[in-house]
Amino acid sequence: MTSDHSKPVLVLNSSTLIVLYELNRLDLLKKLEKKFKVSIPSTVAEEMKNSPINLDHSLVVQVNINNISSNLQPYIIGLGHGELGALALAYKLRSKREAIVITDDEKARKTCQRLNIKVRGTVGLIKIAYEHNIISKEQAINLINQIKETSLYITDQIIRQAIQQIKTQENEHSYNSRKTHH
């Protein structure tokens, strides 16, 4: 059993939480905790306090964005409080263990890339859940297809690419599980 301190951390922004809520799949957060530490920065929780989303407060991590590292200052102009919290938390954690920011905010994603912080969107989170056998291939494909019905703007091309990657990966999963089970 891996200790909680060695698990990679998924740092969620409000955009992903909203989409998971719209998909009726906030349960994925608890399921992901088998393989990851799931963290919601306090700045994100604050942004969401008037939303209909009932956050699991055990996932909320206190983040103070008033004393963000001076290393981050040039990069964070124009980001909202939630994005700042997610970025600050991932930046702080990255020297100790793997941290991945999960956001669909384009500016936040580009900032993460500039700072060499791993970043994925909601589609990427669904793919992570599939890659770690938390959801099935069919569930992953269905969820990605359903994203078009949420508030997230996503192109058909991104959806097609993600589904194709999952279908291709499925073959690798099957091959690897056959190899290890025989």
Side-chain angles (χ1 to χ4, degrees):
M1 184 86 190
T2 44
S3 80
D4 200 43
H5 293 294
S6 64
K7 289 180 180 178
V9 181
L10 301 175
V11 181
L12 280 82
N13 190 20
S14 57
S15 59
T16 302
L17 292 168
I18 291 166
V19 174
L20 288 176
Y21 172 78
E22 291 171 342
L23 291 169
N24 199 26
R25 287 310 307 262
L26 281 170
D27 64 303
L28 279 180
L29 301 181
K30 273 294 177 209
K31 292 178 180 181
L32 283 161
E33 285 203 297
K34 294 173 187 158
K35 306 273 180 154
F36 298 90
K37 175 161 179 27
V38 177
S39 295
I40 299 169
S42 55
T43 54
V44 170
E46 182 65 25
E47 281 182 345
M48 313 234 13
K49 74 177 178 187
N50 294 323
S51 80
I53 300 172
N54 188 13
L55 289 180
D56 178 345
H57 290 283
S58 71
L59 303 177
V60 177
V61 176
Q62 196 58 44
V63 178
N64 184 349
I65 59 171
N66 293 322
N67 38 335
I68 286 181
S69 163
S70 57
N71 298 342
L72 294 180
Q73 293 297 335
Y75 299 97
I76 61 174
I77 298 165
L79 293 178
H81 288 295
E83 290 86 11
L84 282 173
L87 212 85
L89 181 57
Y91 190 80
K92 181 178 152 188
L93 291 172
R94 73 184 190 156
S95 63
K96 298 177 191 93
R97 57 186 176 173
E98 183 181 16
I100 305 166
V101 172
I102 309 294
T103 182
D104 294 305
D105 182 275
E106 188 176 351
K107 189 175 235 174
R109 289 170 68 101
K110 286 181 179 177
T111 302
C112 286
Q113 289 166 346
R114 278 191 223 108
L115 292 168
N116 291 322
I117 295 171
K118 290 183 179 183
V119 63
R120 306 278 289 274
T122 302
V123 169
L125 182 68
I126 292 167
K127 287 169 56 181
I128 287 171
Y130 167 66
E131 290 162 1
H132 291 275
N133 299 312
I134 292 163
I135 59 175
S136 69
K137 174 180 81 165
E138 293 75 22
Q139 289 172 316
I141 291 170
N142 287 339
L143 282 172
I144 290 171
N145 277 320
Q146 289 172 27
I147 284 179
K148 289 185 276 190
E149 299 161 25
T150 69
S151 59
L152 179 65
Y153 171 76
I154 188 166
T155 65
D156 289 339
Q157 180 185 359
I158 290 172
I159 287 174
R160 279 193 306 273
Q161 285 174 335
I163 290 171
Q164 187 55 47
Q165 288 169 349
I166 286 171
K167 286 179 177 177
T168 303
Q169 268 181 320
E170 195 273 334
N171 294 335
E172 295 169 18
H173 274 279
S174 297
Y175 176 73
N176 286 336
S177 64
R178 278 197 311 270
K179 265 181 29 185
T180 57
H181 287 68
H182 284 86

